[in-house]
Amino acid sequence: MSASSECRYKYEECKETADWLLSRISQKPTVAIICGSGLGGLADLLENRTIFPYQDIPHFPKSTVQGHAGQLVFGELRGKQCICMQGRFHFYEGYNITTVTYPVRVFFLLGVEILIVTNAAGGLNPDFNVGDIMIIKDHINMPGFAGQNPLCGPNDDRFGVRFPCMSDAYDKCIAELAREAAEEQGCTSFLRRGVYCMLAGPTFETIAECRALQILGADAVGMSTVPEVVVARHCGLRVFGLSLITNKVVTDYDSKERANHEEVLQTTRMRTQDLQRLVSHLVGKL
Ligand code: HPA
């Protein structure tokens, strides 16, 4: 068995996880939300919650990163049945790329139709400010360039086609609804739109790497989201993504600034309420 196929989950395992969850909830979710670092508070907005710690769910991986609770929260948000993933799996934690995306296939089998992803990201676009919220219009799958695509290996047609299209990965209609929601909430002054680039991490980027990513057309850089979006699109989910710009990347050799996780968490704390309000308002409009 090759290294890349070792951690590949079978359809039957995803189905077992989905059936286990379905037998324990009264209403099927139609919207799934993956909460980024420090953004797990979104799950607290759900009403009539049913909570499953990851370690209790059959076949579910365990979360290792600080600031991630590691549980699935089912409940109602603005009249919609939702499932919130409090704590995601990152490639830099050492998970196989197919493990990172396992929950998305479970969401699909639960009957979820829309996936909302949030993340913390470094701002590459010089016009962006710390605290901006960026609607993801497209992505650059840098690990995919290096052969780390969650769809590598045998294709299971029950999930999707062998060669899925990615030019329409981010749903334009949902993005438009989000813009309306932001307007209604008076938060357009810090709303942006742009391209998210995923790197594997866990190192933050060098100055040369940041400059290269800017030339490639990326507006924000982070260490998550893209594998989940790829798998979601493969199985036909509609996707909407938001990046919270937690820091500005360093592109100047004379700068004394240093990217650090504390700044990421600090900005997240500052904007978490705005982001939660925006997502919940958006869900009400779906
Ligand atoms: N780089 C990569 N990932 C990140 C950053 C960054 O600057 N900020 C938050 N996540």
Side-chain angles (χ1 to χ4, degrees):
M1 194 184 270
S2 75
S4 64
S5 62
E6 267 167 32
C7 297
R8 180 161 296 281
Y9 285 96
K10 293 189 188 66
Y11 180 91
E12 287 70 24
E13 287 166 296
C14 298
K15 187 85 173 61
E16 265 175 43
T17 305
D19 288 346
W20 186 91
L21 290 164
L22 285 172
S23 70
R24 285 163 176 79
I25 53 172
S26 50
Q27 308 245 42
K28 278 184 166 201
T30 53
V31 179
I33 305 171
I34 301 181
C35 307
S37 303
L39 299 168
L42 257 168
D44 300 333
L45 302 182
L46 302 193
E47 286 165 8
N48 303 319
R49 271 174 285 172
T50 310
I51 300 177
F52 302 98
Y54 294 162
Q55 69 260 25
D56 296 348
I57 308 172
H59 307 304
F60 228 74
K62 319 275 174 279
S63 182
T64 69
V65 141
Q66 269 187 353
H68 291 258
Q71 54 190 22
L72 282 187
V73 183
F74 289 77
E76 199 177 310
L77 184 61
R78 304 274 181 130
K80 301 276 179 333
Q81 290 304 320
C82 295
I83 172 173
C84 257
M85 200 177 153
Q86 242 180 349
R88 58 150 56 91
F89 304 107
H90 299 91
F91 187 63
Y92 63 73
E93 292 174 89
Y95 295 111
N96 179 286
I97 197 84
T98 60
T99 305
V100 169
T101 55
Y102 181 72
V104 177
R105 289 192 157 167
V106 173
F107 297 160
F108 165 65
L109 293 176
L110 289 174
V112 163
E113 291 163 9
I114 292 175
L115 176 69
I116 298 177
V117 283
T118 66
N119 60 49
L124 292 162
N125 186 324
D127 295 336
F128 285 5
N129 300 307
V130 169
D132 282 352
I133 293 173
M134 182 187 88
I135 294 177
I136 304 175
K137 75 167 179 208
D138 201 353
H139 72 222
I140 299 175
N141 182 2
M142 205 58 94
F145 285 14
Q148 289 289 349
N149 188 309
L151 301 180
C152 282
N155 187 63
D156 191 324
D157 296 339
R158 287 171 288 186
F159 288 117
V161 296
R162 171 74 286 190
F163 300 108
C165 176
M166 283 294 142
S167 58
D168 58 353
Y170 296 87
D171 195 283
K172 285 191 182 141
C173 296
I174 304 179
E176 185 47 39
L177 288 177
R179 209 189 318 270
E180 278 173 32
E183 223 160 81
E184 285 157 19
Q185 279 182 196
C187 62
T188 46
S189 62
F190 53 87
L191 190 74
R192 306 274 178 258
R193 198 163 167 260
V195 174
Y196 176 85
C197 178
M198 181 201 175
L199 299 189
T203 45
F204 287 112
E205 301 68 38
T206 65
I207 290 171
E209 285 165 350
C210 290
R211 291 178 174 189
L213 296 181
Q214 286 174 329
I215 292 167
L216 286 180
D219 297 292
V221 58
M223 307 175 192
S224 68
T225 302
V226 167
E228 293 134 331
V229 170
V230 165
V231 166
R233 292 303 296 148
H234 181 238
C235 58
L237 304 191
R238 294 170 69 195
V239 171
F240 174 72
L242 286 178
S243 290
L244 172 59
I245 307 300
T246 53
N247 57 292
K248 286 182 77 110
V249 303
V250 179
T251 54
D252 171 4
Y253 285 100
D254 294 327
S255 170
K256 297 269 185 295
E257 299 289 324
R258 298 279 183 275
N260 64 87
H261 192 51
E262 193 37 54
E263 185 186 9
V264 171
L265 293 179
Q266 208 176 316
T267 312
T268 307
R269 282 193 288 272
M270 169 189 109
R271 264 289 181 253
T272 193
Q273 297 290 333
D274 292 303
L275 201 122
Q276 284 175 26
R277 278 194 303 131
L278 181 57
V279 172
S280 94
H281 199 103
L282 168 64
V283 169
K285 285 170 165 286
L286 291 171

